[in-house]
Amino acid sequence: MEKKSSSQTSGSPPVVQSSPSIRQSTPSEKSNKSTTPAQQSTPSDKSNKSPSVQQSTPSGKSSKSTPSEKSSGTTPSVQQQSPPSDQTTNDKSSSVSIQLRSPSEQRSPSEQPSNEQAILMARRDNFRQRGRQSSSTSITSTHSVERIASLQDENLNSFSRAKTVQEACSCFNITHEQLVEIMARMDAHYDEGLRSETARQATVKMLPAYIRDVSVGQERGKFLALDLGGTNFRVLLIELKGEKHSSMQSKIYRIPDKVMKGTGVELFDHISACLAKFVEDFELTKLETKLPLGFTFSFPCQQEGLTSAILVNWTKGFNASGVVGNDVVQMLREACQRRGDIDVDVVAVLNDTTGTMLACSFFKEHCYIGVIVGTGCNAAYMESLDKIYKLQGKVFPEKDGLPNEMCVNTEWGGFGDDGALADFLTIYDTRMDENSINPGRQRFEKTISGMYLGELVRLVLEDLTRRGLITTLPIDDISQPGFIPTKLVSDIEGFVKEHASPFGKINELLLEKGVDDLSAGDCANIAYVCSMVSTRAAHLCACGIASLLKRVISRKVAVKNERGESPEMTVGVDGSVFRFHPNFEHLLNIKIHELLDGQLNGWKIVLALSEDGSGRGAAVAAAVATRMNRIIKEKKELEQASEETEGASTTSPIR
């Protein structure tokens, strides 16, 4: 609604009075459409003669308020400018200028800000000044939470309301000191999982993967890979060409529901039939030797060796009978033998996290850690055999000739199941856990992974809506579990990062969910919640990675190159959250370096996207396993030859 100032003379242009949070129409608009100052175009849009937004500077003459402005106490003021000289009086597209008084302007006593308003203006000025100093037009994630807080202040009618929302979300803020404490607790839980006397009750299982080395990037040869982890499975033919080069061919096969829930014999017969079809299609039967196969089996298993994995329980909708408690590698071999037309050489079985580390190690040197941050969250790393206490007396590196280390699948998602995270969890974490399919389990994973981030955001937004802090988000919608998927959280974070005024885009995203006409203030609140939950997730994940890096760095010597540059230690990471959340990698990287400040021992830490850990990683595992088997065989042959020589010398006649 337009109002003329009471002090306006008949010859002066009309003054439109409004606050920043009230939509205002230009004098030339004949329709009921309204435009906020943030939506109006810049002065450069002269061709469209659209409204221009100008923020006055402290020294600018245009910043001075008229007496009528001061008496009314209204800001900002909108003045309709006179049309240019070459424009006729019938032209209805007149330009509009919005003048914002600077914080340094003199105010009348009645306009002096309250303490809350003064804090609000200081925060706005701080953000604007930082924006002027930035050389980039895009907003980086470094200040995303602080920036959204500023947007909240500017778009909410009440400063106290914005402050209340921020206080409600403060439970997601974990201090540096607290993160260091979480690292220490995780490290203690790693040791519990590695010790034979505490491994059974440990919440972080620390499962040996029996991979004794990473790739050196020089492996060569053709390898088969079988990737089973869902309703579809893949068969791959991967050629490693050395010099960090490889090529890949693959096919995807579906597992019918009746096979998933039938018998184990039916399941592995189906897998072997698809494998035989793949071998035939790619004419692999013509090869003189059978190809080594790496088997990625992404279900909970207890590994008994490099080619032995006992299924603990089915997940992901599988319920084939006769498999739990049995060796899945042996069942695959038996299925192939029943066919009689295919003979595979399974040389390694692994999970997708181990595959992530191995796939990355083929392309990057010094990659000893693999992490998945997707639907789930887990990590694997290379640990000294001296620290894997539960394997002492079972593995002998001095006899087999292999490195004195082994890959360990941490299963760190269970960290906190014993209460170790209770100090840092929120009421929203508790509500989500209680309504999950596995209450009390995977507490660490539930703070990070894509399966849960969206639901955490939804629970916070539902609470804020019920408290009246969000007013234009329908309670019936936000009360529905699953209403906010993690992809939506990532998209909102992306719009805040890339757009100076992201609320229109956020409105569009929610419109796809059936929610329309969100206020700018509520959009700011939604974005703030997304940022706080996402930031905590990245920081907790950083705790886990930093704690593993400390263990690896403590026994790996950094050797500078001829130019005096520090070597890179790479962490291979995969998963939808890491790939698609616009801020996650940056937040993760910054926090890891903060947590390890002064403890890198000459290493430079790099996060690298690991491509196709479950596919290419299985092939690299097969290559590494083949190399390991060759080393073991050669050592045995040397020992046997040495024994024969010694035996011959002791039985020779004395002359």
Side-chain angles (χ1 to χ4, degrees):
M1 180 68 68
E2 296 179 4
K3 295 181 180 180
K4 291 185 179 181
S5 171
S6 58
S7 61
Q8 179 185 326
T9 63
S10 59
S12 62
V15 177
V16 181
Q17 300 176 346
S18 69
S19 68
S21 61
I22 300 176
R23 295 176 179 175
Q24 51 194 13
S25 57
T26 65
S28 62
E29 287 181 311
K30 298 298 182 182
S31 66
N32 292 328
K33 293 182 179 180
S34 58
T35 308
T36 65
Q39 291 172 321
Q40 298 183 27
S41 59
T42 62
S44 61
D45 295 332
K46 293 180 180 179
S47 60
N48 296 327
K49 296 184 176 61
S50 58
S52 61
V53 182
Q54 296 177 338
Q55 180 174 333
S56 60
T57 62
S59 59
K61 294 181 180 180
S62 62
S63 66
K64 293 182 179 180
S65 306
T66 64
S68 62
E69 286 177 297
K70 290 186 177 182
S71 61
S72 63
T74 306
T75 182
S77 63
V78 180
Q79 293 183 329
Q80 181 177 343
Q81 297 176 337
S82 301
S85 58
D86 60 345
Q87 187 174 334
T88 65
T89 56
N90 293 329
D91 190 345
K92 298 179 181 179
S93 301
S94 56
S95 176
V96 176
S97 172
I98 299 177
Q99 296 180 338
L100 302 177
R101 289 185 299 184
S102 69
S104 60
E105 283 188 76
Q106 295 295 321
R107 298 173 180 266
S108 64
S110 62
E111 288 184 280
Q112 291 302 317
S114 64
N115 289 338
E116 285 190 347
Q117 290 172 330
I119 296 172
L120 168 59
M121 288 187 292
R123 291 173 65 177
R124 288 179 183 170
D125 295 341
N126 179 52
F127 173 73
R128 286 170 179 157
Q129 181 62 29
R130 190 169 63 244
R132 295 188 194 104
Q133 295 171 350
S134 174
S135 59
S136 173
T137 57
S138 64
I139 307 299
T140 65
S141 60
T142 307
H143 304 293
S144 61
V145 172
E146 190 175 347
R147 175 174 182 261
I148 297 171
S150 177
L151 292 174
Q152 282 179 300
D153 295 342
E154 293 182 352
N155 290 277
L156 288 171
N157 295 330
S158 167
F159 171 71
S160 60
R161 182 173 153 209
K163 184 178 179 181
T164 303
V165 170
Q166 292 159 19
E167 287 176 349
C169 295
S170 64
C171 56
F172 289 99
N173 183 40
I174 304 179
T175 67
H176 177 81
E177 291 73 20
Q178 290 173 324
L179 292 172
V180 172
E181 171 62 23
I182 292 172
M183 282 179 60
R185 295 185 188 185
M186 291 191 78
D187 193 67
H189 279 67
Y190 296 153
D191 282 336
E192 286 183 8
L194 292 171
R195 295 183 182 278
S196 55
E197 60 270 23
T198 53
R200 184 176 296 274
Q201 65 267 26
T203 56
V204 183
K205 294 302 182 183
M206 305 297 282
L207 304 174
Y210 292 89
I211 294 287
R212 297 282 296 280
D213 202 359
V214 296
S215 170
V216 294
Q218 300 301 323
E219 290 82 1
R220 297 176 183 272
K222 292 183 177 181
F223 302 89
L224 284 171
L226 179 60
D227 174 20
L228 177 62
T231 55
N232 295 326
F233 75 97
R234 293 185 300 162
V235 181
L236 307 95
L237 173 62
I238 298 177
E239 183 176 5
L240 303 180
K241 303 177 181 180
E243 303 298 331
K244 306 183 186 302
H245 290 92
S246 68
S247 62
M248 180 174 67
Q249 296 172 295
S250 66
K251 280 193 173 183
I252 298 176
Y253 301 92
R254 182 162 182 79
I255 302 178
D257 187 68
K258 65 178 182 179
V259 174
M260 292 172 58
K261 299 175 181 177
T263 67
V265 171
E266 292 171 340
L267 173 62
F268 283 96
D269 279 349
H270 176 72
I271 293 172
S272 64
C274 296
L275 184 57
K277 182 69 167 59
F278 183 89
V279 169
E280 179 184 356
D281 290 345
F282 287 90
E283 300 181 342
L284 301 181
T285 54
K286 297 180 181 180
L287 299 177
E288 295 181 359
T289 58
K290 55 186 178 182
L291 298 180
L293 184 144
F295 184 12
T296 300
F297 189 76
S298 299
F299 297 91
C301 286
Q302 179 68 48
Q303 278 196 244
E304 302 295 335
L306 189 56
T307 59
S308 175
I310 309 300
L311 178 65
V312 176
N313 60 272
W314 281 119
T315 57
K316 307 174 187 179
F318 280 75
N319 195 28
S321 62
V323 184
V324 174
N326 287 306
D327 189 338
V328 296
V329 175
Q330 184 60 29
M331 294 188 75
L332 175 62
R333 286 173 174 159
E334 291 173 354
C336 292
Q337 291 170 1
R338 283 194 294 271
R339 291 188 58 85
D341 61 348
I342 180 173
D343 186 14
V344 296
D345 182 18
V346 182
V347 296
V349 61
L350 64 155
N351 75 345
D352 51 359
T353 313
T354 301
T356 296
M357 178 190 72
L358 291 174
C360 189
S361 71
F362 182 77
F363 299 101
K364 298 284 187 179
E365 291 185 86
H366 309 302
C367 179
Y368 307 110
I369 299 174
V371 180
I372 288 183
V373 193
T375 304
C377 184
N378 192 20
Y381 76 110
M382 297 301 293
E383 178 62 276
S384 169
L385 279 171
D386 296 334
K387 294 290 186 68
I388 309 178
Y389 308 106
K390 57 188 176 184
L391 288 185
Q392 289 181 358
K394 299 179 181 179
V395 181
F396 305 96
E398 66 279 1
K399 292 184 178 180
D400 58 30
L402 298 177
N404 187 34
E405 60 183 358
M406 180 181 289
C407 177
V408 173
N409 168 26
T410 66
E411 293 293 343
W412 73 12
F415 173 63
D417 291 359
D418 58 352
L421 269 177
D423 305 359
F424 313 102
L425 297 179
T426 70
I427 187 174
Y428 307 109
D429 294 298
T430 301
R431 290 174 183 171
M432 185 182 64
D433 177 64
E434 290 173 348
N435 294 315
S436 68
I437 60 174
N438 54 348
R441 295 174 54 196
Q442 300 298 101
R443 300 306 301 273
F444 186 64
E445 181 179 71
K446 288 174 180 175
T447 65
I448 299 171
S449 76
M451 180 176 286
Y452 304 102
L453 284 186
E455 184 63 8
L456 267 177
V457 168
R458 186 197 69 79
L459 287 168
V460 179
L461 294 179
E462 179 185 359
D463 183 46
L464 297 179
T465 301
R466 293 188 183 280
R467 293 166 62 182
L469 298 171
I470 292 180
T471 58
T472 57
L473 189 58
I475 188 63
D476 290 342
D477 291 332
I478 199 61
S479 299
Q480 298 176 19
F483 184 75
I484 303 291
T486 298
K487 182 182 183 302
L488 181 60
V489 175
S490 295
D491 289 343
I492 290 174
E493 285 272 83
F495 286 138
V496 172
K497 179 179 181 180
E498 296 170 4
H499 298 275
S501 182
F503 301 138
K505 293 291 185 180
I506 294 175
N507 238 323
E508 290 178 14
L509 288 175
L510 271 298
L511 185 60
E512 296 175 4
K513 303 286 294 181
V515 177
D516 57 0
D517 203 24
L518 285 172
S519 69
D522 283 349
C523 285
N525 283 333
I526 292 170
Y528 186 80
V529 172
C530 290
S531 188
M532 288 295 290
V533 172
S534 298
T535 299
R536 186 192 69 163
H539 287 177
L540 287 174
C541 187
C543 276
I545 295 175
S547 62
L548 293 180
L549 280 167
K550 284 186 67 174
R551 297 176 81 95
V552 174
I553 288 172
S554 66
R555 59 188 184 83
K556 298 287 185 181
V557 179
V559 180
K560 294 184 177 181
N561 61 21
E562 61 276 7
R563 295 185 297 274
E565 298 170 336
S566 296
E568 293 183 349
M569 182 176 289
T570 303
V571 179
V573 192
D574 198 3
S576 56
V577 174
F578 182 79
R579 282 173 175 265
F580 302 120
H581 191 292
N583 299 332
F584 198 90
E585 179 180 357
H586 177 74
L587 292 168
L588 195 61
N589 190 42
I590 292 296
K591 186 53 65 175
I592 288 171
H593 283 82
E594 288 179 356
L595 292 171
L596 294 179
D597 185 33
Q599 305 175 63
L600 296 179
N601 294 343
W603 288 99
K604 179 181 178 182
I605 305 302
V606 176
L607 302 181
L609 178 63
S610 180
E611 296 285 351
D612 194 13
S614 57
R616 184 179 281 108
V620 175
V624 171
T626 301
R627 171 160 51 88
M628 289 167 50
N629 291 335
R630 184 175 64 250
I631 292 173
I632 293 173
K633 181 180 178 181
E634 290 174 353
K635 185 172 178 59
K636 285 183 177 179
E637 290 175 348
L638 286 174
E639 290 176 349
Q640 184 177 357
S642 177
E643 290 174 358
E644 291 175 354
T645 302
E646 291 178 1
S649 63
T650 56
T651 57
S652 60
I654 300 176
R655 297 182 182 276

